[in-house]
Amino acid sequence: MGLLSNKNTGSETNPINYQKAALVNFPGSIEIPNEETIINCIHCGMCLSVCPTYQLTGMEKSSPRGRIRLIKIVAEGNLDLTPNFIDEMDFCLDCQACQTVCPAGVKFGQLVEASRDQIANVGKDPQHFRKRFFFRFIFPSHARLKIIAAMLRLYQKFLQKILRKIGFFHLLPKKLGRMDQLAPKISDKFSDKILKEDMRPKGEIKYRVGFLKGCLMNVMFADINKDTVDVLLENDCEVIMPKNQVCCGSLAAHNGDFKSAKSLAKKNIIAFLAHDLDAIVINSAGCSAFMKEYGELLQDDPEYSDKAKELSAKVKDVHEFLVEIDFKQPKFPVQKKITYHDACHLAHSQQITDEPRRILQAIPGLEIVELNESTMCCGSAGIYNMVRYDDSMKLLKRKVDNIVDTQAEVVIAANPGCAGQIEYGLRNREIDIKVMNPMTLLKMSYGLPPAGETE
Amino acid sequence: MNTNVMNRLQSIVGKNNIYSSQEDRIAYSYDGTPVLEALPDAAVRAHSVEEISQILKLANETGFSVIPRGSGTGLSGGSIPTKDSVILLMNHWDKIVEIDRENLTALVQPGVITADLHHAVEKVGLFYPPDPGSMTICTIGGNVAENAGGLRGLKYGVTKNYVMGIEAVLANGDIVKLGGKNVKDVSGYNLKDFLVGSEGTIAIFTQILLKLIPKPKAQKTMLAYFQNMTNAAQTVSDIIAAHIIPATLEFLDQTTIQCVEDFAGIGLPKNIGALLLIEVDGHPAQVEDETKQIIPIANKNGASEVKIASTEKEADDLKTARRSAFAALARAKPTTILEDATVPRSQLAPMVDKIQNIAEKYQIRMGVFGHAGDGNLHPTALTDERDSDEMHRVEQAFEEIFREALELGGTLTGEHGVGLAKKRYLEEWSSSGQKELMQKLKRALDPNNVLNPGKIFDVQF
Ligand SMILES: Cc1cc2nc3c(=O)[nH]c(=O)nc-3n(C[C@H](O)[C@H](O)[C@H](O)COP(=O)(O)OP(=O)(O)OC[C@H]3O[C@@H](n4cnc5c(N)ncnc54)[C@H](O)[C@@H]3O)c2cc1C
């Protein structure tokens, strides 16, 4: 039954007549987005105020409330998976800012991901091949990712300068030319080279923690991985980085590829549960957020459901973990004026906003200025900046404008996606503000040498 | 709407400002009101007063209806489409045109978000008091059209107390400017006030001149916990009887407290029967003094604890939590039907008792919260629109609540408006001559019934 049936609206309302499309949309085994989650939305509209895509367009269909309504009508079989519908699902950043402000507790992220899953499964996603290439071929394999990163590193070291100089990229189609710039600098050494499988603190071991090296973190932010591990060691943790760990699967799931995500989750469960760990500490917000959801992801899997719950219970974002164990107070002053950008996957997916600030506030010498709209997405959003470049750049501009307004010399981004994106935005506009990670500053304030200089 | 009319509409606003895809129509088929929905033929954006005027002239000529829409947070169905209608989007009319620091006024376009205006005027030490729970997204135009109230209504009044002037397009396309910066102005009928609360049925606002006041120098926010609602309500009456007028005097019952705490996680005890959120503001000495008087009044009525917020952030968190009450109740059940019955302040305690009895009688789970100081209650039925038997009992319960409220000298709606949701009750219960006069005015000003037809009441032409 279509819910849009003129209830109580008196005689003058418009009768609604949709083509029935349920069977086209949800053939056989494909799950429809959870009805209870849909009906939980009372369309009060509070989510509109924080939705980046609504801010960009002012159109109701580009808001969480509008999208939920569209998903509902599709689920009821009264709207086909139209190009417009698909585009709206794709336009959403899945930043989940709406969830933070939703008094009713609607899990919007799950809805939009389920919708993307349907779209992918009926083969209607226009970016299908591009996404599948990333999610089924590149990310699941650390080996392949490293080969690509190594090629990119060679390129960045030797070829990029020359090609940029001779204006090569102006000859390419615009989109290809941009890719060159969007990629953050590849680390000189990947973190699995600089870090060991089992690292012990100097003194007594108080905690035994697992460490996820991350896909992007491993190849693009290896120094930050090193800083994170050093901070953990300084806090009396033994750090285990299992060799057989894989990509967490979040990028796949956020784009509706649950099959890949589940298979990756299982591999990580095997890798980490093989060790007796107090916590699994993660410095990439998207990964920690997603691994906390393994329990739900695999709840119907008879073999893995319990193990998935066990693993999820141990997952901690590194800031969350440090605050929980009452981290060692840093002593050495770091004289810098900084501002802090909230990563969506920390602030909205995990409600972690206080902990990174508390760590920064503990560092003597830092002057911290609050960033206007700090919890608004920077437009990075997984691979959003590659597949929806123009929309992503509008949000990045807004973010960079806000950063510039603070007059800080450093912007802190505690997540690799955001760090790369913001760095790109600043570089592009030739603005002299550095992007740094809280762990790097904390390590400095512990009086330890910067990552680049220890090898 | 036939293609010829659509083409003419297009020639007024331009092709890119007409949204008639299925998806857009679905997205403008609802507002914040439960259960009500209908599809418009299209949504349009106009970019000048003249364009709006031309749209209305075309509507009169060809017979479609025009429904103005701000952010669609209305709770009485005001911006829900009717038959053959076009939604006129006003949310992109979002410029603050002028903040006049000498005359203490703000001139705004109707799509300005209420909280954005708050921030802008507070930056220069001024204050715009009306603060509906939806203020982070609702528009000033929607506020004026509904005469919205808020948490600060008790001391500072509601939207109508701040509207000094309105520029609007009437149903026939005429453009009018009413009121202005003069604090005193008796040159004829008080027409701008007639437009306040007109629910989009008389005119489309294109500019609004608002009164500002100096920002209070100090404020204190308190929470008082009670075993039951009756004690909380008595405290409200006693505070006012002691001639203290707090800016905010809000209450929540146990069900609401539990849902709000689930959302906000600010440490509200879930086992208490009711709480009052009280804020006093003004001169620092007066704030101190009033705080000292309020605490014993609460204690005398059996408050188990009175807490004072120690930081501004803590105070803000408390108010944000209160603002979330309506939507947070959706955690308990999927459909929340909220009403807006209002009684004179002195009748608050008896009204609260009556609501509880009625909920029991019809076996409805009810959360009750509201602007206690204004006598404005929001009894909210927690139900499921898929359960038609329960929905029927909800309807019966509300009918009885309205009857009781009117018997106590109250009114159907304090701030959400009649719209579609309460039209049926207005039919039965409007005071003598009121509805007829409104209908006469509507007929005179909108003879072809093109502006938001069928809202508030039906009119025979
Ligand atoms: C969570 C929540 C809390 C709320 N709390 C309060 C509260 O505390 N107090 C309160 O009073 N209300 C409250 N409301 C109700 C609602 O927010 C108000 O009625 C608000 O004024 C609606 O503004 P809007 O911009 O969303 O208008 P809409 O819902 O879009 O429209 C409301 C009415 O205004 C008309 N309208 C809109 N713009 C114009 C214009 N430019 N010209 C002419 N007519 C126009 C529409 O046709 C419609 O009839 C709440 C709603 C929600 C969802």
Side-chain angles (χ1 to χ4, degrees), chain B residues 360-395:
Chain B
E360 228 161 85
K361 175 172 163 195
Y362 291 98
Q363 293 172 28
I364 310 273
R365 195 160 164 215
M366 196 84 86
V368 185
F369 64 97
H371 313 294
D374 302 337
N376 184 188
L377 298 173
H378 294 317
T380 305
L382 310 177
T383 174
D384 187 332
E385 60 184 286
R386 295 167 295 187
D387 179 345
S388 55
D389 178 52
E390 190 173 88
M391 289 291 279
H392 181 62
R393 276 183 284 127
V394 168
E395 216 163 286

Side-chain angles (χ1 to χ4, degrees), chain A residues 3-4 8 12 14 18 35 39-40 42-43 49 54 57-61 65-66 69 79 82 84 103, chain B residues 22-24 26-28 30-33 37 39 41 45 69 71-72 83 91 136 328 330-331 334 386 458:
Chain A
L3 264 174
L4 280 176
N8 301 359
E12 300 125 27
N14 210 5
Y18 289 115
E35 188 192 354
I39 197 158
N40 225 351
I42 56 159
H43 43 97
S49 64
Y54 180 74
T57 63
M59 296 300 292
E60 182 75 24
K61 68 177 171 198
R65 177 173 68 167
R69 183 55 65 112
L79 177 70
T82 57
N84 281 339
Chain B
Q22 252 185 322
E23 295 75 18
D24 274 310
I26 290 169
Y28 294 113
Y30 54 83
D31 64 3
T33 317
E37 54 193 19
L39 281 182
D41 287 354
R45 274 182 179 177
R69 186 182 193 274
S71 288
K83 196 171 184 310
N91 61 323
T136 52
R331 286 172 182 259
R386 295 167 295 187
D458 284 319

Side-chain angles (χ1 to χ4, degrees), chain A residues 43-46, chain B residues 31-32 67-75 77-80 90 110-111 131-135 137-151 198-201 203-206 208 322-324 326-327 371 376 378 414-416 452 455:
Chain A
H43 43 97
C44 68
M46 301 302 274
Chain B
D31 64 3
I67 321 281
R69 186 182 193 274
S71 288
T73 66
L75 293 174
S79 58
I80 289 180
M90 296 304 290
D131 61 339
S134 49
M135 67 186 204
I137 189 64
C138 66
T139 65
I140 295 290
N143 293 168
V144 175
E146 298 290 359
N147 189 11
L151 266 57
S198 58
E199 303 193 19
T201 64
I204 290 167
F205 315 139
T206 49
I208 297 158
R322 155 61 189 91
R323 288 194 183 99
S324 74
F326 158 53
H371 313 294
N376 184 188
H378 294 317
E415 57 179 17
H416 297 159
N452 216 0
K455 306 293 171 72

